[in-house]
Amino acid sequence: MKIAVITGSSSGMGRDFAIKIDKEYTLDEIWLIARREERLKELGKELKTKARILSYDLSSPSSIEEYKDLLNETKPEVEILVNAAGFGVFGAFEKSGEKQSDIVVLNDKALVDVTYTTLPYLQSGSSIVNLGSNSSWQPVPYIAVYGASKAFVLSFSRALSMELKPRGIRVLCVCPGWIKTEFFDRAVHDDTIVYYDRFYESKDVVERAMKDLKKGRLVSILGFPVRMQVRLVKFLPVKLIMKIWCRQQKKPC
């Protein structure tokens, strides 16, 4: 049985990846993973491929064990794994620190756990897509833990791509700029972040990511301005980059 596994598929990027993969891949099932079961069922009705609805909270070890048991029971061939589950909290760390560790658990630990658990079922030609961020490239004050969590995803994805190359498994890290999705409903609680240079559509980010995956690229970035910003960040001192960011957000620096 050939399948795709997509975490965070109840909304945003995960949902759009499911729709795109449904169109481009010939599969027996698409496994949709997220907490909101009703949302997953609604998405499943839109797909031509049979959807297996897995209402898991990936921050819970019991959900990882359930997923592991299901893989062991069905023994599928995973054509593509998309790790899109994640969230962020915008604000000063000292005022929201109690929420920040949850970001690390879902954005990093769960991603690692799902990837490790799925790896035995990937074959030559299979792919892993991890959702990073434009924040992956630099320290981001007032989004400190979220940015650091995405820096982990980028570093992990690049290293893993080299380790899995002999097996013929591709790994892509998608690092988009600002995307207007439900992410903001959860992340933005005040006016901590006031400057957004531009927004991109989730489906356009996914479209670019799937093209970059076929080309064998390690990182996918939609938008010339975002790519230029990434290049600039590589050459400027980190302290200066953080000062520029804080000035944009009207924060002391």
Side-chain angles (χ1 to χ4, degrees):
M1 179 172 66
K2 293 186 177 182
I3 71 168
V5 178
I6 306 168
T7 73
S9 47
S10 61
S11 66
M13 294 276 292
R15 188 180 192 280
D16 286 334
F17 265 113
I19 293 170
K20 183 66 174 177
I21 289 169
D22 179 54
K23 292 178 180 178
E24 294 195 356
Y25 283 67
T26 301
L27 301 164
D28 296 300
E29 289 185 359
I30 296 180
W31 291 12
L32 304 176
I33 300 177
R35 294 182 302 169
R36 295 178 289 184
E37 185 175 6
E38 287 305 314
R39 287 284 193 92
L40 297 179
K41 288 180 178 178
E42 290 172 9
L43 172 59
K45 293 176 183 177
E46 297 181 30
L47 308 179
K48 70 178 189 298
T49 308
K50 179 182 177 182
R52 186 178 293 235
I53 307 303
L54 303 175
S55 181
Y56 293 158
D57 177 0
L58 294 177
S59 62
S60 169
S62 62
S63 288
I64 300 297
E65 284 301 314
E66 285 186 53
Y67 175 61
K68 181 178 180 180
D69 290 342
L70 182 59
L71 285 171
N72 186 53
E73 177 187 337
T74 56
K75 293 181 170 52
E77 292 183 16
V78 180
E79 292 282 295
I80 182 168
L81 165 66
V82 179
N83 285 304
F87 82 102
V89 176
F90 293 177
F93 177 75
E94 66 177 346
K95 295 181 180 179
S96 57
E98 70 279 0
K99 302 175 184 177
Q100 303 290 355
S101 60
D102 294 337
I103 296 175
V104 178
V105 171
L106 185 58
N107 293 10
D108 297 334
K109 185 181 184 301
L111 182 145
V112 170
D113 289 343
V114 170
T115 302
Y116 181 76
T117 303
T118 310
L119 266 178
Y121 303 92
L122 272 66
Q123 316 294 322
S124 178
S126 295
S127 304
I128 299 172
V129 177
N130 293 328
L131 185 57
S133 166
N134 195 31
S135 303
S136 299
W137 307 95
Q138 63 192 67
V140 192
Y142 302 97
I143 318 179
V145 175
Y146 175 77
S149 77
K150 291 304 184 179
F152 173 92
V153 174
L154 175 62
S155 180
F156 172 68
S157 300
R158 283 172 153 175
L160 189 63
S161 69
M162 296 302 290
E163 292 186 24
L164 297 181
K165 188 175 181 180
R167 285 184 55 187
I169 298 172
R170 292 171 293 180
V171 181
L172 175 73
C173 188
V174 184
C175 293
W178 298 112
I179 308 173
K180 192 63 175 178
T181 65
E182 288 185 16
F183 170 89
F184 279 87
D185 295 335
R186 188 171 184 182
V188 179
H189 297 280
D190 54 28
D191 60 351
T192 297
I193 306 301
V194 297
Y195 173 77
Y196 304 96
D197 50 357
R198 68 182 63 211
F199 282 94
Y200 292 90
E201 293 292 329
S202 172
K203 61 182 179 59
D204 294 332
V205 175
V206 170
E207 182 78 26
R208 174 59 187 259
M210 296 304 289
K211 289 179 180 178
D212 287 340
L213 182 63
K214 292 174 183 177
K215 293 177 181 178
R217 290 178 174 164
L218 301 182
V219 178
S220 178
I221 303 173
L222 174 67
F224 179 78
V226 182
R227 292 195 293 275
M228 290 302 100
Q229 180 182 336
V230 170
R231 289 185 182 180
L232 190 62
V233 162
K234 293 179 180 179
F235 294 103
L236 293 178
V238 171
K239 195 170 183 179
L240 175 60
I241 294 167
M242 291 193 292
K243 282 186 176 181
I244 293 172
W245 164 261
C246 287
R247 285 170 182 164
Q248 288 174 331
Q249 306 305 336
K250 304 186 186 322
K251 297 293 184 292
C253 59

